Amino acid sequence: MAGPTFQALPGFRDFIPRECAVRNYLFETWRATARRCGYVEYEAPILEDTSLYLKKSGGELSAQLFRFEDQGGRDVTLRPEVTASLARLAAEHQRHFPKPLKWFEIGQCFRYEKPQKGRGREFYQFNVDILGEAGPAADAELIALAIETMLAFGFVAGDFVVRVSDRHAWIEFASRHGLAADAIPEFLGIVDKIERDKPEILAAKLAALSLTTAQVREFIADPANASPAYLAIRADLTARGLGAFVELDLSIVRGLAYYTGVVFEVFDAKKSMRAVAGGGRYDTLVATISDGAVDLPATGFAMGDYVIRNLIEETTHTAMQLAVWLQRHAAACDVFVVVADEAQRAAALKLVTDLRRAGIATDLPLTAAKVAKQFQSAERSGARFALVVGAEYPELKLKVLASRSEESGTAATAVAWLTARLLEPDGPLFA
RNA sequence: GUGGUCGUAGUUCAAUGGUAGAGCCCCAGAUUGUGAUUCUGGUUGUUGCGGGUUCGAGUCCCGUCGAUCACCCCA
C-alpha cells in the first residue's frame, strides 16, 4: 500500500453492482409512481451559475456549496437542490406547456457537509413539482404522490405520517401580534427551531419580537388555527382514501426561505424524527428567478435516497420487498453458454450472438475452462439455464440450473427453443 | 464548523509494550463433459500516514488523513 491510495472522496459513494441495484430500485419505484400519477420526467444541468443559488435559497445552503471557478473564469456550483433550476427552466419554457405542469426529476445533488448516517456530500433526490396551479388541489395532488410513493415501497398506515402546516397561518399570527412584515422570515426561523433550541434561548429570541414561548406553543396546539388551505387539502386527501396519513403540525415551517404557504414533511412514524421527504408551496420563486418576467405559482417536494433507503432497510416488510426485487433483478443473464469442447467455440459464439439478438440475456466464458468451472460460473451468474455446446454439436443440451434436469435440442432451432422455454416454468425441483 | 469512538490481509476480526495470526473470500487440485458438501494445497500486510517516548511500538503520546456516530443543518 505504498504511495498515494485512491478512494472515493469523503461523502461520495461507490455503487458496486449490488449498491447500484438498490439505487435502481429506488429510481424505478419513484419513476413508476410518478408516471402512474400523471407526472412527466425532466432533467436540468448538474452545474449552474452560483448566483442562481445565492439569491433565493438562503440560509445555510450558501455555506454548503460545492463551488469553484471554471476554466472560463465563471463562478459555478454543483447543484445543492433542483428547485432553483426548475424555476429557471419553467420561466423559460413554460409557454410551450399547458398548465398545470406536473414534472418530476431524479438526479444527484451536492452539498459540502460533514457526512454521517443519512447524509453524504452527494445524494440522489426525487423531485416532484406542480407549476401553474395556485389552489390547494395542487398541494393535495402533490402530497398524494408522496403518500403513493411510500405505499409503493411497501410502507403501510402506521409506518409514516405526513405532517402538514401552512406558513400563512403563522403570517396571520404574526400580524395579529403586531410583527412587522420584514420580521416574519426571522420569526419563522425561530418557529422552525422551537423543538431544538434551548428553552431560554428560544424565549429570548421571541422576547426580542415581543412574544412568549407560551403564545407560540398555544398556537401550535390549537387545531382551530389550521388554515383554509390545510382544511381543503385534508378534505381532498380524505376523499382519496389517504386522510389517515395526514396530520396538522403547525410546528413544521421548513428552513428554505422560498416557501410561501403550505409546507409538509413525510416522517417516519417511529421516533427517528427525520424527514424522509419535505416540500411546500413556493409561489414567488419563479418570478424571482425570472426577475418578474414569469409569474407561476408552484408547489413541490423532494425525497432523498439516503433516508428512504435507511427506512426501507430498517422496516421489516419494506426490506423484504426490496430483497425480493433484488433477487428478481440479480441475474446477470438468462442463459449461460457452456463451451464443453473448445473446438466448438466458434459455433458457441455464433449461438450467443443469435440468442442475444433475439433478446435473450446470454453470457459465456471468455477463456477455456473446465466444464465444472463453467457450471459454477453459470450458477453465480444467476442464469436459469446452462446451454452446453460440446463435441456433439449441433446437438445441444440445456440444463435447468435450479432443478439440475437436462433437456436436448439442436442449434438450428435454438433461438425459438430457448425463447419458448424461458416463458415456461421450470417444473418440479428434484435435488 | 463542534464533539465522541475507531483505523491490522480483499473482507470480518485477533495479537498482557517483546518474532503479525485466524475465519470467510479468492485461486489451484482431489473430480480429463456437469454445479452442493467435503478434503488438500496456495496468494495477500511498509499494522492509514508522519513524528515522538522506549532496549523494543499494531499496542503509549502528538499531529495528520480517513471511517463512523451525535450536534448544527438538511434529502
Side-chain angles (χ1 to χ4, degrees):
Chain A
M1 221 180 276
T5 59
F6 294 107
Q7 56 182 296
L9 258 18
F12 285 76
R13 297 171 287 180
D14 291 325
F15 289 93
I16 57 177
R18 198 206 134 81
E19 295 303 305
C20 206
V22 173
R23 190 194 67 165
N24 289 340
Y25 171 70
L26 300 181
F27 286 7
E28 289 190 18
T29 304
W30 283 340
R31 185 171 282 124
T33 309
R35 285 185 176 154
R36 184 146 57 80
C37 295
Y39 294 78
V40 294
E41 189 166 2
Y42 72 97
E43 181 57 290
I46 212 165
L47 194 67
E48 294 269 15
D49 190 304
T50 299
S51 58
L52 181 66
Y53 302 115
L54 292 185
K55 278 184 181 173
K56 62 295 148 270
S57 295
E60 291 273 325
L61 214 53
S62 59
Q64 300 174 339
L65 299 178
F66 264 98
R67 179 182 181 184
F68 58 96
E69 184 178 298
D70 74 8
Q71 295 183 58
R74 283 172 286 262
D75 183 356
V76 295
T77 292
L78 286 167
R79 63 183 179 194
E81 51 145 19
V82 306
T83 304
S85 298
L86 171 62
R88 182 176 59 73
L89 259 159
E92 185 176 343
H93 301 286
Q94 55 91 18
R95 281 177 173 280
H96 304 295
F97 303 97
K99 308 301 174 297
L101 278 61
K102 293 173 63 180
W103 285 14
F104 78 96
E105 181 266 3
I106 296 169
Q108 248 171 333
C109 293
F110 305 84
R111 294 183 194 174
Y112 197 87
E113 297 188 272
K114 194 155 181 175
Q116 61 183 266
K117 186 176 185 185
R119 191 177 75 190
R121 288 180 174 174
E122 148 274 327
F123 55 94
Y124 287 91
Q125 261 189 350
F126 176 39
N127 281 277
V128 187
D129 296 88
I130 298 178
L131 299 98
E133 174 51 60
D139 300 291
E141 172 77 345
L142 186 77
I143 292 170
L145 174 54
I147 295 170
E148 291 295 343
T149 302
M150 294 299 285
L151 297 177
F153 281 121
F155 293 105
V156 296
D159 287 338
F160 70 96
V161 64
V162 185
R163 293 182 180 158
V164 183
S165 177
D166 189 341
R167 284 190 172 188
H168 282 310
W170 286 107
I171 291 167
E172 194 178 308
F173 173 93
S175 68
R176 201 187 320 140
H177 288 81
L179 270 189
D182 58 0
I184 287 178
E186 181 193 349
F187 174 60
L188 291 176
I190 296 169
V191 174
D192 187 42
K193 289 187 172 62
I194 192 163
E195 298 302 337
R196 300 193 297 267
D197 267 341
K198 291 173 181 170
E200 59 272 23
I201 294 177
L202 176 67
K205 284 181 177 175
L206 287 171
L209 299 172
S210 303
L211 293 168
T212 67
T213 304
Q215 283 176 310
V216 174
R217 288 200 182 281
E218 278 170 28
F219 186 81
I220 291 173
D222 188 355
N225 292 316
S227 69
Y230 170 80
L231 296 174
I233 290 166
R234 179 168 190 99
D236 185 313
L237 291 170
T238 300
R240 297 170 191 248
L242 302 176
F245 296 104
V246 183
E247 67 180 39
L248 176 70
D249 187 342
L250 291 172
S251 70
I252 304 281
V253 176
R254 298 192 54 74
L256 291 175
Y258 54 63
Y259 289 118
T260 56
V262 170
V263 289
F264 67 94
E265 296 184 341
V266 179
F267 272 92
D268 166 16
K270 298 175 301 184
K271 288 285 182 192
S272 102
M273 289 313 265
R274 190 169 159 75
V276 175
R281 187 159 275 286
Y282 54 100
D283 285 340
T284 59
L285 183 59
V286 175
T288 303
I289 297 284
S290 66
D291 284 327
V294 178
D295 192 4
L296 207 58
T299 184
F301 79 87
M303 178 181 288
D305 70 314
Y306 270 90
V307 181
I308 190 66
R309 177 175 173 177
N310 285 344
L311 191 55
I312 286 170
E313 291 179 335
E314 289 167 9
T315 306
T316 307
H317 46 283
T318 54
M320 285 181 63
Q321 181 176 314
L322 168 59
V324 168
W325 189 92
L326 290 175
Q327 176 75 26
R328 195 172 297 154
H329 291 75
C333 60
D334 296 320
V335 176
F336 192 95
V337 171
V338 170
V339 184
D341 180 357
E342 276 300 316
Q344 299 301 333
R345 177 166 286 269
L349 289 169
K350 178 66 168 72
L351 194 54
V352 165
T353 300
D354 291 343
L355 291 171
R356 287 173 172 174
R357 290 213 180 131
I360 298 171
T362 308
D363 205 358
L364 81 165
L366 298 179
T367 56
K370 291 184 178 181
V371 171
K373 189 146 296 286
Q374 294 188 54
F375 270 92
Q376 272 183 20
S377 299
E379 185 82 10
R380 291 187 191 189
S381 76
R384 265 179 74 189
F385 300 111
L387 186 60
V388 182
V389 180
E392 67 280 12
Y393 184 90
E395 186 187 331
L396 301 172
K397 284 177 182 162
L398 183 68
K399 187 124 183 186
V400 182
L401 290 166
S403 65
R404 304 191 170 210
S405 57
E406 204 168 74
E407 302 163 24
S408 296
T410 64
T413 60
V415 169
W417 173 33
L418 282 162
T419 300
R421 195 61 189 77
L422 277 164
L423 294 174
E424 299 168 8
D426 285 342
L429 302 180
F430 37 94

